[in-house]
Amino acid sequence: MIDFSILPAITQNIIILISVVAIKIVISQFSTDNSMRYFRFYCQRLSDKVNKPSNSHYQQKISGLVALFITLTPIIVIVWLFEEFIAIKWLWQSLLLYISLGSFHFSSLGNSIQLALKSDHKNKARELLQQECLRDTSMLSTFGLSKATIEMQLLKHLQLHIIVGCCFLFVGPIMALSYRLLLEMHYSWNTKIKRFQYFGLASNFLLQLVLWLPLRLYYCLYLLTTLGQRTPLFLRSTWQYFFQLNTNIIIMLHALKLNTQLAGVAMYSQQKLRRSNINSSANQADISDIVNASKQLFVIDILIVILLLAIAIFGYLLPLITS
């Protein structure tokens, strides 16, 4: 039997990641993820306390930066110091990764929304989508619900699964936890909501910095699943977004692959946010596109798992070959 502790670090980390993800997927089928609810409650109460509408825009920006610093720093320092007393490192790393990962129910949620739309139960579809969507879904049409569901599945999968895994593999479990806490602050203080337009700038900017490299790596893997005559077109159409600090590059590639429109105007807390349509020359999103989008994300996930297993095996065999 192989001693886990003597395996190369990269092999250990990949085994931990795949194992924890598998456990999280199984658990997500039976219960919702509430691991961050108390932290979300704290973020809401903190913003109520320090984010005053009477403050100037500059004061709101400074308040948001200070709130980010005083929230994130103590938690990370405490976790880092506590790690020194842990005897079984892999178990501690697995626990931090499990907490950092979000729920894996978004695919089944998309299927539920699709079934509701097929049965012409739009209100049920709106209620299901509203559970995981910041935007107001009460007035969305079938096309709007399909489009919003596709975007929700893509962005939640990236933010709660892919980026967490990248942080864990590239830096470590404390970075994965730090990122998840930052993401929850971004969710709580989203700049799309008018009252957080300035207060949430610091968390939004830092989040986009963390997202930039992992998103581009995911973009490259996504392109591998589109190899063919249309790949050069995908590259030309998405290149303009490559250096932007946002998720447009992935949304555009996803829209091109599905041949559908994404983004556009959305309502947040009864305030209309005008966003440019992505892939505006394509068809409006349809109910069938929800399933197609889920299948496409699943194909990329399979590719990622194969790549990770290959790296883990190579990391294990390399010392044996060179010794």
Side-chain angles (χ1 to χ4, degrees):
M1 186 174 179
I2 299 174
D3 185 357
F4 185 75
S5 62
I6 66 172
L7 293 175
I10 185 63
T11 304
Q12 290 186 34
N13 289 340
I14 290 174
I15 292 173
I16 291 172
L17 176 61
I18 293 176
S19 301
V20 173
V21 166
I23 293 170
K24 193 88 175 185
I25 289 173
V26 173
I27 293 177
S28 295
Q29 306 307 312
F30 302 100
S31 63
T32 56
D33 179 28
N34 293 317
S35 58
M36 290 289 171
R37 60 179 176 178
Y38 295 114
F39 185 72
R40 293 187 198 121
F41 178 78
Y42 162 81
C43 291
Q44 292 166 2
R45 297 288 77 80
L46 179 62
S47 65
D48 292 340
K49 197 76 173 176
V50 300
N51 184 31
K52 303 298 183 182
S54 56
N55 292 344
S56 67
H57 296 167
Y58 180 75
Q59 288 175 315
Q60 290 179 34
K61 291 178 184 178
I62 295 300
S63 297
L65 179 61
V66 172
L68 171 65
F69 180 77
I70 65 172
T71 298
L72 199 56
T73 304
I75 296 175
I76 300 309
V77 169
I78 291 171
V79 172
W80 176 67
L81 291 174
F82 187 75
E83 188 178 33
E84 298 300 317
F85 300 97
I86 302 298
I88 308 176
K89 296 294 183 183
W90 66 266
L91 187 60
W92 172 248
Q93 293 172 352
S94 301
L95 176 62
L96 291 182
L97 178 60
Y98 182 88
I99 295 171
S100 303
L101 284 166
S103 176
F104 282 82
H105 74 291
F106 300 111
S107 179
S108 59
L109 177 61
N111 291 335
S112 299
I113 293 172
Q114 186 214 22
L115 291 174
L117 290 175
K118 274 188 173 181
S119 304
D120 201 28
H121 295 154
K122 291 183 183 178
N123 287 334
K124 181 181 178 181
R126 290 169 182 144
E127 291 173 3
L128 289 170
L129 181 59
Q130 193 67 75
Q131 297 172 11
E132 297 293 343
C133 200
L134 181 64
R135 66 188 293 179
D136 184 8
T137 64
S138 60
M139 302 298 292
L140 290 178
S141 63
T142 299
F143 291 136
L145 287 166
S146 300
K147 181 169 66 173
T149 301
I150 293 169
E151 289 182 38
M152 179 273 296
Q153 285 182 307
L154 173 65
L155 294 179
K156 291 285 188 177
H157 182 52
L158 286 169
Q159 294 170 347
L160 293 171
H161 307 148
I162 301 299
I163 309 301
V164 172
C166 287
C167 290
F168 176 78
L169 290 177
F170 294 157
V171 184
I174 294 181
M175 179 60 194
L177 179 62
S178 303
Y179 161 76
R180 180 61 193 278
L181 295 176
L182 176 62
L183 181 64
E184 291 300 329
M185 284 187 276
H186 168 70
Y187 286 161
S188 299
W189 308 332
N190 199 300
T191 54
K192 293 184 178 72
I193 305 298
K194 188 174 182 179
R195 63 179 293 225
F196 300 121
Q197 184 178 359
Y198 299 99
F199 184 80
L201 281 176
S203 57
N204 180 69
F205 178 72
L206 184 56
L207 179 70
Q208 297 304 328
L209 285 178
V210 175
L211 289 177
W212 193 89
L213 180 58
L215 278 182
R216 271 64 191 171
L217 294 175
Y218 187 83
Y219 166 81
C220 293
L221 290 173
Y222 198 126
L223 277 176
L224 289 178
T225 68
T226 68
L227 289 178
Q229 293 181 345
R230 299 185 68 193
T231 304
L233 172 64
F234 293 167
L235 276 169
R236 289 194 301 270
S237 301
T238 55
W239 181 253
Q240 59 181 312
Y241 303 111
F242 193 84
F243 295 102
Q244 294 182 5
L245 281 177
N246 53 44
T247 56
N248 284 347
I249 187 172
I250 292 296
I251 296 175
M252 182 62 174
L253 183 57
H254 202 44
L256 289 168
K257 176 63 178 176
L258 299 174
N259 191 29
T260 187
Q261 296 181 30
L262 292 177
V265 177
M267 296 289 292
Y268 294 91
S269 298
Q270 300 181 342
Q271 298 288 327
K272 184 177 289 187
L273 179 65
R274 298 190 179 277
R275 304 176 299 169
S276 300
N277 280 323
I278 289 181
N279 198 26
S280 56
S281 61
N283 300 322
Q284 290 272 14
D286 201 358
I287 299 173
S288 60
D289 291 322
I290 298 175
V291 175
N292 294 335
S294 297
K295 290 179 180 178
Q296 177 61 24
L297 296 180
F298 181 72
V299 169
I300 304 169
D301 288 344
I302 294 298
L303 178 61
I304 292 173
V305 171
I306 293 172
L307 180 61
L308 289 177
L309 288 175
I311 294 172
I313 294 171
F314 180 76
Y316 171 68
L317 294 178
L318 183 61
L320 301 178
I321 296 172
T322 56
S323 60

